[in-house]
Amino acid sequence: EVNEAMLTGESDLVQKEVDALLLSGSFLASGSVLAQVHHVGADNYAAKLMLEAKTVKPINSRIMKSLDKLAGFTGKIIIPFGLALLLEALLLKGIPLKSSVVNSSTALLGMLPKGIALLTITSLLTAVIKLGLKKVLVQEMYSVETLARVDMLCLDKTGTITQGKMQVEAVLPLTETYGDEAISSILTSYMAHSEDKNPTAQAIRKRFVGEVAYSMISNLPFSSDRKWGAMELEGLGTVFLGAPEMLLNSEVPEAREALERGSRVLILALSQEKLDHHQPQKPSDIQALALLEILDPIREGAAETLDYLRSQEVGLKIISGDNPVTVSSIAQKAGFADYDSYVDCSKITDEELIAMAEETAIFGRVSPHQKKLIIQTLKKAGHTTAMTGDGVNDILALREADCSIVMAEGDPATRQIANLVLLNSDFNDVPEILFEGRRVVNNIAHIAPIFLIKTIYSFLLAVICIASALLGRSEWILIFPFIPIQITMIDQFVEGFPPFVLTFERNIKPVEPNFLRKSMLRALPSALMVVFSVLFVKIVGSSQGWSELEISTLLYYLLGSIGFLSVFRACMPFTLWRVLLIVWSVGGFLATALFPRIQKLLEISTLTGQTLPVYGVMMLVFTVIFILTSCYQARK
């Protein structure tokens, strides 16, 4: 039986006989298959569908999408702005062609948020490397950012909360017709002929080995949709092995007791009806033979991990194919807070499941289709979801989740479609993965205003420069006041080393929404200070008879100093190494600004007796304004 849900959207099992066609993109749900490959690469059915739908998978990064919006806006205005600035400088102001091109290009380059885009990619790559050193394989780089926004983590019980190392604890006969030896003989024959390889089957096979008493006529492998498998044995009848509530019409008291102990329970049953492979259903004459109690030890450290995730405002849900009573009992032992909030999904409709998805904590007897439906419902409710799993029954939900995390010991099909693979198959690694994503996003949001200052003031100054042509007099026309080498030198000490170092800090607080809007608002006061500085210095300098070199020098110092105010804010609260970082940045800026050869390159000089007092007063006022606006924004 195969599941073609990733191709058709329908999660029904599709039976495949000999010579049937298997489509790429489907996965094996039960049984085994030997296939001959006819098409590869672009000729595959799944590849053709993907080619029709889209050629490139879009990048799932809110930061990059926000920056794309900004770049899209600036990209539309760059050509008209560039032409206007160039013609204004060349024709109206009469500046030589080389100087006109240089001044105009500075404004255009400043509008593009290229620095933060590069730093975002660098930070994500760093996170990929760090997670790799911790034995976590990141198969999609931008999933690290998605992890930072996860507020709902859906867990598969087996192999996640539990160790996935099952063992048969007890076999309890339920009829006097078949004793211990007869039941053992039936289970030995069943497991010898069965090709089921799930953890439960492996545990039973390990317990029941020996001489095969019955030969097999036909076999229906176990399916996570049906929750049972069957086998027709010669001289005995059709043997069923699966969940008691899915095979029997009445409850077995012994099964309830085992479930409350946190054990997985299977029923071995017998029928004389022939096995129907095309329409599998439980027979009317089924007789329970024995109850199998299977234990799966709780993973060490699971309770601490669950508590820590909950303390970090991450919602938790358990989605399992096991009986909900079993899952609830295990969840209680593992320290799961809402262990008593559970539902048996085999007894409710899809509509009821959707209505209960947000409020219920534990979902038992969930089919693959229902797992996917739960994830879809949580996403529609506004949650960013992550899903952990290890079996083919988790594939649909893993594909639907915003971020999928699988165990390396799980099925190969899950590893191929997952965003992240835990190479140690240890659930206790999940918090560190989530918080590595938070580190990247929070730190990028923290230092983003430093980069956006230049974007805002470049745009505003470009508008003012273009508008100044309407004043009608050549001496009143404002030319963009900076040249590229000045911006590059300042960026080295403001946008370069400090933000890069700060992105490595540990920052695991929940991610704030509206990244771009908040970053722009934090950058706006500093950008307005730069614009005011340019207008004020140009007006005062012209009235006081300052030279162009003095005006350029004062503006250079003001631009760098205003940028350092944002660096100081990003470094708060101050620590020893943060203070050293500030000292290095400010010291490097002053050293280069005072070095004669570099001054010539930057087209500046040293602050004079006329410009130094103006610089001091303006920076004092700007510092007070910056502190007040920062405090106001922090309260908001």
Side-chain angles (χ1 to χ4, degrees):
E1 293 171 310
V2 298
N3 189 313
E4 297 178 345
M6 286 190 285
L7 302 173
T8 64
E10 300 295 332
S11 59
D12 296 334
L13 298 184
V14 181
Q15 290 228 352
K16 296 292 183 180
E17 306 290 347
V18 176
D19 294 330
L21 181 66
L22 287 173
L23 298 176
S24 58
S26 57
F27 61 88
L28 189 69
S30 69
S32 60
V33 62
L34 180 65
Q36 181 179 14
V37 177
H38 290 278
H39 302 289
V40 297
D43 293 330
N44 273 342
Y45 181 77
K48 290 178 180 178
L49 287 179
M50 290 174 64
L51 189 62
E52 291 177 13
K54 54 189 175 182
T55 54
V56 179
K57 186 177 181 180
I59 293 173
N60 185 22
S61 167
R62 291 192 190 179
I63 292 178
M64 296 304 289
K65 287 178 180 177
S66 298
L67 296 179
D68 282 344
K69 291 180 182 178
L70 188 58
F73 170 74
T74 55
K76 293 174 182 176
I77 65 173
I78 271 182
I79 293 179
F81 270 45
L83 290 173
L85 290 171
L86 178 62
L87 294 175
E88 181 184 55
L90 188 64
L91 301 179
L92 300 181
K93 196 71 173 178
I95 297 176
L97 178 61
K98 180 181 178 181
S99 298
S100 298
V101 170
V102 168
N103 283 91
S104 302
S105 64
T106 309
L108 306 182
L109 291 172
M111 292 183 201
L112 296 172
K114 51 191 179 299
I116 190 172
L118 178 61
L119 192 62
T120 298
I121 295 173
T122 304
S123 299
L124 289 172
L125 284 172
T126 304
V128 171
I129 294 171
K130 288 179 68 176
L131 290 173
L133 294 173
K134 295 175 182 177
K135 302 297 182 183
V136 177
L137 175 63
V138 181
Q139 303 197 123
E140 183 183 329
M141 182 176 71
Y142 288 97
S143 63
V144 175
E145 182 193 333
T146 306
L147 278 170
R149 307 182 190 281
V150 166
D151 61 356
M152 187 64 69
L153 179 60
C154 299
L155 309 170
D156 179 41
K157 176 186 70 66
T158 306
T160 301
I161 297 176
T162 63
Q163 298 178 16
K165 299 175 181 177
M166 298 184 184
Q167 57 187 26
V168 179
E169 182 71 10
V171 179
L172 178 66
L174 298 177
T175 175
E176 296 180 356
T177 309
Y178 294 89
D180 292 338
E181 290 187 8
I183 290 170
S184 177
S185 178
I186 294 171
L187 285 170
T188 300
S189 299
Y190 188 101
M191 298 314 301
H193 295 303
S194 172
E195 295 181 354
D196 291 334
K197 293 181 175 60
N198 56 66
T200 305
Q202 292 176 12
I204 300 173
R205 187 175 288 112
K206 184 177 180 180
R207 170 71 178 269
F208 296 98
V209 294
E211 184 178 348
V212 178
Y214 303 96
S215 58
M216 182 184 71
I217 300 174
S218 64
N219 175 39
L220 183 66
F222 177 85
S223 162
S224 56
D225 287 79
R226 288 189 303 269
K227 312 296 182 189
W228 54 266
M231 184 179 295
E232 195 174 345
L233 297 178
E234 188 175 0
L236 183 64
T238 302
V239 177
F240 291 80
L241 185 63
E245 63 269 31
M246 307 302 286
L247 289 173
L248 305 180
N249 296 321
S250 58
E251 186 178 59
V252 179
E254 294 84 353
R256 183 73 184 185
E257 295 172 3
L259 293 172
E260 291 174 351
R261 290 194 293 269
S263 299
R264 173 174 290 189
V265 175
L266 294 180
I267 285 291
L268 179 69
L270 180 64
S271 170
Q272 298 306 315
E273 293 184 12
K274 294 289 184 181
L275 194 58
D276 187 350
H277 290 268
H278 297 284
Q279 292 183 332
Q281 56 185 359
K282 66 178 184 180
S284 57
D285 65 338
I286 195 165
Q287 176 189 8
L289 302 183
L291 181 146
L292 282 71
E293 183 176 353
I294 301 172
L295 284 181
D296 188 4
I298 295 173
R299 189 179 293 277
E300 187 176 350
E304 291 79 3
T305 300
L306 293 173
D307 283 339
Y308 192 50
L309 288 169
R310 193 161 47 248
S311 70
Q312 293 298 314
E313 300 180 21
V314 178
L316 299 171
K317 293 187 183 295
I318 301 178
I319 304 175
S320 175
D322 270 358
N323 188 288
V325 179
T326 299
V327 183
S328 174
S329 177
I330 291 175
Q332 183 181 12
K333 293 176 182 177
F336 192 81
D338 302 319
Y339 66 89
D340 55 347
S341 172
Y342 61 84
V343 63
D344 188 338
C345 293
S346 65
K347 298 178 180 178
I348 60 175
T349 63
D350 286 354
E351 289 73 20
E352 291 173 322
L353 180 59
I354 291 172
M356 302 173 66
E358 277 203 86
E359 301 301 325
T360 307
I362 296 174
F363 301 87
R365 290 290 180 231
V366 188
S367 69
H369 162 71
Q370 289 175 320
K371 288 187 178 185
K372 177 182 176 181
L373 187 60
I374 293 169
I375 298 294
Q376 287 177 328
T377 305
L378 294 174
K379 288 173 65 176
K380 287 180 181 178
H383 294 288
T384 301
T385 60
M387 170 79 185
T388 67
D390 60 358
V392 293
N393 57 321
D394 300 317
I395 286 180
L396 296 179
L398 290 168
R399 293 281 279 186
E400 187 65 32
D402 294 300
C403 188
S404 53
I405 307 169
V406 306
M407 310 296 170
E409 293 177 353
D411 193 273
T414 62
R415 295 199 298 269
Q416 291 202 21
I417 59 95
N419 298 125
L420 298 103
V421 181
L422 305 184
L423 299 180
N424 289 332
S425 297
D426 190 353
F427 167 64
N428 297 324
D429 291 337
V430 170
E432 194 59 39
I433 298 171
L434 293 173
F435 301 148
E436 186 61 29
R438 285 187 177 184
R439 178 191 68 80
V440 171
V441 176
N442 284 329
N443 287 338
I444 291 295
H446 190 56
I447 55 93
I450 299 175
F451 294 88
L452 295 175
I453 292 171
K454 183 171 63 177
T455 299
I456 298 173
Y457 80 68
S458 295
F459 171 75
L460 294 177
L461 283 177
V463 172
I464 293 172
C465 289
I466 295 171
S468 68
L470 301 176
L471 297 176
R473 296 178 60 177
S474 174
E475 62 271 20
W476 290 354
I477 293 176
L478 181 65
I479 302 301
F480 199 82
F482 305 108
I483 58 176
I485 188 63
Q486 292 176 340
I487 302 297
T488 301
M489 187 61 71
I490 292 174
D491 285 351
Q492 177 176 276
F493 301 106
V494 175
E495 294 185 4
F497 193 66
F500 176 74
V501 173
L502 291 172
T503 57
F504 289 95
E505 282 194 324
R506 183 173 175 82
N507 191 337
I508 63 173
K509 66 178 183 179
V511 174
E512 293 183 351
N514 304 319
F515 155 77
L516 183 60
R517 185 175 66 85
K518 290 187 177 180
S519 296
M520 293 284 281
L521 288 175
R522 289 171 182 166
L524 184 60
S526 296
L528 293 176
M529 291 177 197
V530 174
V531 174
F532 175 80
S533 298
V534 171
L535 298 176
F536 180 81
V537 171
K538 286 285 186 180
I539 295 171
V540 173
S542 298
S543 64
Q544 296 296 318
W546 294 350
S547 67
E548 286 297 325
L549 186 62
E550 287 178 312
I551 292 175
S552 178
T553 300
L554 179 55
L555 288 178
Y556 181 80
Y557 274 88
L558 286 170
L559 180 60
S561 300
I562 292 170
F564 282 125
L565 291 177
S566 291
V567 174
F568 295 158
R569 178 175 59 187
C571 288
M572 294 180 68
F574 294 125
T575 59
L576 176 59
W577 75 267
R578 286 182 177 180
V579 172
L580 293 175
L581 179 63
I582 292 172
V583 170
W584 183 92
S585 299
V586 176
F589 171 76
L590 293 175
T592 54
L594 296 173
F595 195 69
R597 289 189 177 181
I598 298 180
Q599 283 182 344
K600 185 177 180 181
L601 183 67
L602 295 173
E603 299 183 11
I604 63 170
S605 63
T606 305
L607 290 172
T608 64
Q610 284 184 304
T611 55
L612 185 58
V614 175
Y615 167 79
V617 172
M618 291 184 71
M619 283 311 304
L620 179 62
V621 173
F622 287 160
T623 301
V624 172
I625 294 173
F626 186 85
I627 292 173
L628 293 176
T629 55
S630 296
C631 292
Y632 174 76
Q633 290 172 346
R635 287 199 303 269
K636 294 288 284 187

